Amino acid sequence: MNKVLLVLGSFIVLFLIDWYVYSAISLLIRNSTLLTRNIVRYSYWGITMITFLVIVFYNFGNPEWFKGQSRSLIFTGIFINYFSKLFAVLFLFSDDLVRLGKWVATFFQNPEPVSNSKGISRNEFLVKTAVVAGTLPLVAMSWGIISGAHDYRVRRKTIYLPNLPKSFDGIQIGQLSDIHSGSFFNKTAVKGGIEMLMDEKPDVVFFTGDLVNNESSEVKDYINIFDKVNAPLGVYSTTGNHDYGDYRSWSSPKAKQKNFDDLKEAHKLMGYDLLMNEHRMLELNGDKIAILGIENWGTGRFPKYGDMNKAHAGTEEAPVKLLLSHDPSHWDAQVRSEYPDIDLMFAGHTHGFQFGVEIGDFKWSPSQYVYKQWAGLYTEGNQHLYVNRGFGYIGYPGRIGMAPEITILTLKRA
């Protein structure tokens, strides 16, 4: 019964939004041909009817086509539709407030009813502005899916480390993060992104977590793409908060553990050396540097599976230590204060909120109001943090102004 009421309530809210916006559209097309008005009318309300049917099927049925990527794309379309309309509603509502004020003023000036009064008409400029305001996010978010989702960019940085051994001077590190294979809808584009990384010929590659959204099975169809990532000094990886299956219900703890075991096996099949609170030593011509990798460790509501003590033990003599840790909040919360000998930490997690503006040295994203370090290179004293903007996406299957990233970091002796 509660579900029925919830569905009915959502129908009422969505219908009111649609009716409110259509009142503006009908005003703009009132002088168009009958054919044009009918096409607009039936198309507009047809989309509304399809939306209502989708909601009914989702809540009271379980059709096969309503699973996985199909479901994600359908609900993304619904979200974009109504999110865009809310912008139009804001302008229309402001117009209605003005109209109400004029009506009240007129009423008190002349309270006697006027039989031929046509009322106070809408401001056509504001109506046009409302339609444009609703169209812009619709176009932007649609383009963010069509073009932005796989518009991979190679970002390069050079970092100077005072204790870097001579043999490692100039080493190039490739970084991927936040693949989220369960969200992909264009396998060819994903393959192209990996080819871009391999064209850079990195000496070593790091993957900093979130291979999947919820289930290890999501990566099955992409193993033969990501296993093409290779480097002379190896490919090293760690886990992110989405890799543990914490965001879905499991039939038993055993089933959840089996999912995580399968995820670890996927790293092995791809040829990634998964670091689970442990380290590896890279050696060149007798010189060594340490690579540490910990399980997810995040502040706030995110789980702290990582154990820095275990990963750090045995690396004390390494002149340079590189840390793979998925969540950048780990840097301020623990790494900088307790492990000052960590020269450089690699993270991801934020995706730059998949939305922002980056022009030259200027960058802005809603992500910066949640994370102090959210994209790019950060330096405090002799310690550095690089936050990758993510290779994939989750939730909204696109990116606007925050392109998916392939990182190439060059280490140089200071």
Side-chain angles (χ1 to χ4, degrees), residues 150-157 173-179 189-202 204-206 226 229 346 386-392 399 402-409:
H150 303 105
D151 185 19
Y152 302 108
R153 306 289 178 85
V154 176
R155 294 184 179 270
R156 310 174 196 277
K157 287 287 183 181
I173 301 172
Q175 183 193 6
L176 295 177
S177 193
D178 300 271
I179 286 174
V190 174
K191 181 180 178 182
I194 295 304
E195 290 171 350
M196 286 177 65
L197 170 62
M198 290 296 91
D199 287 343
E200 296 294 321
K201 296 180 172 55
V204 63
V205 175
F206 297 156
F226 293 116
V229 177
F346 295 80
Y386 192 87
V387 184
N388 181 286
R389 294 162 179 81
F391 185 83
R399 287 171 174 266
M402 191 61 58
E405 177 176 354
I406 297 164
T407 309
I408 300 294
L409 292 184

Side-chain angles (χ1 to χ4, degrees), residues 22 39-40 55 62 255 344 363:
Y22 185 75
I39 290 174
V40 173
I55 293 173
N62 188 29
L344 172 58
K363 61 180 181 181

Side-chain angles (χ1 to χ4, degrees), residues 207-210 236-241 243-244 260 273-279 291-298 303-313 322-327 329-331 334-335 339 342 345-346:
F207 170 61
T208 45
D210 277 1
Y236 301 88
S237 60
T238 191
T239 50
N241 55 299
D243 292 324
Y244 297 88
F260 190 55
D273 187 353
L274 181 61
L275 302 180
M276 304 286 287
N277 304 321
E278 51 193 324
H279 69 268
I291 301 174
L292 295 75
I294 70 165
E295 296 187 63
N296 191 75
W297 197 107
K304 294 178 175 60
Y305 294 110
D307 188 330
M308 276 293 293
N309 285 334
K310 289 177 63 176
H312 189 269
L322 310 179
L323 171 66
L324 279 61
S325 181
H326 176 71
D327 192 323
S329 66
H330 184 210
W331 195 54
Q334 186 182 56
V335 174
Y339 299 91
I342 298 294
M345 173 174 148
F346 295 80

Side-chain angles (χ1 to χ4, degrees), residues 17-239:
I17 292 173
D18 280 331
W19 172 81
Y20 202 42
V21 174
Y22 185 75
S23 68
I25 294 175
S26 61
L27 178 65
L28 295 181
I29 63 172
R30 66 188 184 281
N31 295 324
S32 301
T33 64
L34 178 62
L35 176 61
T36 300
R37 296 199 303 272
N38 283 338
I39 290 174
V40 173
R41 180 186 302 113
Y42 291 125
S43 299
Y44 186 93
W45 291 109
I47 292 174
T48 300
M49 183 59 65
I50 292 171
T51 299
F52 286 5
L53 288 174
V54 166
I55 293 173
V56 170
F57 271 102
Y58 178 72
N59 286 279
F60 304 108
N62 188 29
E64 285 298 316
W65 55 266
F66 221 56
K67 294 181 178 179
Q69 193 56 243
S70 297
R71 182 175 66 182
S72 175
L73 290 174
I74 288 170
F75 275 101
T76 296
I78 293 174
F79 171 78
I80 292 175
N81 181 27
Y82 284 97
F83 179 76
S84 301
K85 286 176 180 175
L86 287 177
F87 282 84
V89 166
L90 289 175
F91 281 90
L92 293 174
F93 186 66
S94 66
D95 182 37
D96 285 340
L97 285 178
V98 172
R99 292 169 65 203
L100 177 62
K102 290 181 179 178
W103 180 87
V104 170
T106 302
F107 176 80
F108 282 105
Q109 290 173 3
N110 183 19
E112 296 297 324
V114 180
S115 59
N116 294 326
S117 175
K118 295 182 179 180
I120 299 172
S121 61
R122 282 190 178 277
N123 183 308
E124 190 164 338
F125 172 77
L126 281 178
V127 171
K128 290 179 180 179
T129 304
V131 172
V132 171
T135 302
L136 287 177
L138 176 66
V139 172
M141 294 183 76
S142 298
W143 185 248
I145 296 172
I146 297 168
S147 177
H150 303 105
D151 185 19
Y152 302 108
R153 306 289 178 85
V154 176
R155 294 184 179 270
R156 310 174 196 277
K157 287 287 183 181
T158 299
I159 300 176
Y160 294 86
L161 302 178
N163 297 320
L164 186 68
K166 186 175 181 180
S167 298
F168 289 94
D169 189 21
I171 184 175
Q172 287 199 327
I173 301 172
Q175 183 193 6
L176 295 177
S177 193
D178 300 271
I179 286 174
H180 290 286
S181 51
S183 298
F184 289 140
F185 59 87
N186 188 335
K187 198 170 185 179
T188 301
V190 174
K191 181 180 178 182
I194 295 304
E195 290 171 350
M196 286 177 65
L197 170 62
M198 290 296 91
D199 287 343
E200 296 294 321
K201 296 180 172 55
D203 298 303
V204 63
V205 175
F206 297 156
F207 170 61
T208 45
D210 277 1
L211 181 62
V212 298
N213 295 337
N214 296 300
E215 301 179 26
S216 60
S217 59
E218 296 168 12
V219 75
K220 180 179 178 181
D221 293 336
Y222 290 89
I223 286 179
N224 63 352
I225 292 179
F226 293 116
D227 67 1
K228 302 301 186 295
V229 177
N230 59 80
L233 297 178
V235 180
Y236 301 88
S237 60
T238 191
T239 50

